[in-house]
Amino acid sequence: MGARTVTMAILAGSAVTAGAATAQAGGDLYGAIAYSDGTGIAAAATNFGDSRSADTAARGNCGRGDCRVVLDFHNGCGALAQGADHRVSAGWGPTKVEAEQRARDFLGPSAPPFPDLGSAAPRAATIALSTCTSNAH
């Protein structure tokens, strides 16, 4: 199996009518991040009135049959990190900075698989995708 890099397909700042109405009323807003293990494509959907709608939109934005929701969040931010070893993790937080840090922390430092033409020293994960609902802090 060759190395895969996460590719951001679509970062959807989508708002459906129910989501927009909920936002105006000061209600909860939901988001989701979907990921394809086969292709490494990731996609997000935000500002929906419920988690089911956000999940469906994120999988649709991903555009692959094997896309699965790896993170649901509400009233905040979500992030997807990728380690040098190509593993991925997701994190949630009230701010983008906190969501990204949690996603990175979950993976910890990792080294690239052998053979790698660069350094074999472990390094921190990189953020492949991050997004927030419009009512995040």
Side-chain angles (χ1 to χ4, degrees), residues 1 63 74 123 129 136:
M1 173 179 254
H74 70 282
R123 51 188 174 251
L129 182 146

Side-chain angles (χ1 to χ4, degrees), residues 54-136:
D55 289 355
T56 300
R59 282 192 305 271
N61 289 343
C62 187
R64 302 291 187 258
D66 70 336
C67 289
R68 61 187 170 90
V69 173
V70 294
L71 180 69
D72 283 309
F73 58 95
H74 70 282
N75 303 332
C77 303
L80 186 73
Q82 181 177 32
D85 59 0
H86 305 291
R87 292 181 306 134
V88 295
S89 70
W92 175 90
T95 67
K96 187 180 278 193
V97 169
E98 289 177 85
E100 290 176 353
Q101 188 62 49
R102 288 178 181 164
R104 276 191 211 96
D105 288 350
F106 183 78
L107 283 178
S110 64
F114 182 81
D116 182 65
L117 300 177
S119 171
R123 51 188 174 251
T126 59
I127 298 302
L129 182 146
S130 61
T131 187
C132 298
T133 58
S134 61
N135 62 353

Side-chain angles (χ1 to χ4, degrees), residues 1-63:
M1 173 179 254
R4 282 189 310 252
T5 301
V6 174
T7 303
M8 182 174 64
I10 300 171
L11 178 59
S14 303
V16 295
T17 305
T22 303
Q24 291 173 356
D28 293 332
L29 292 176
Y30 294 83
I33 294 176
Y35 177 72
S36 165
D37 290 308
T39 63
I41 291 175
T46 57
N47 297 330
F48 287 84
D50 59 76
S51 62
R52 181 177 288 189
S53 297
D55 289 355
T56 300
R59 282 192 305 271
N61 289 343
C62 187

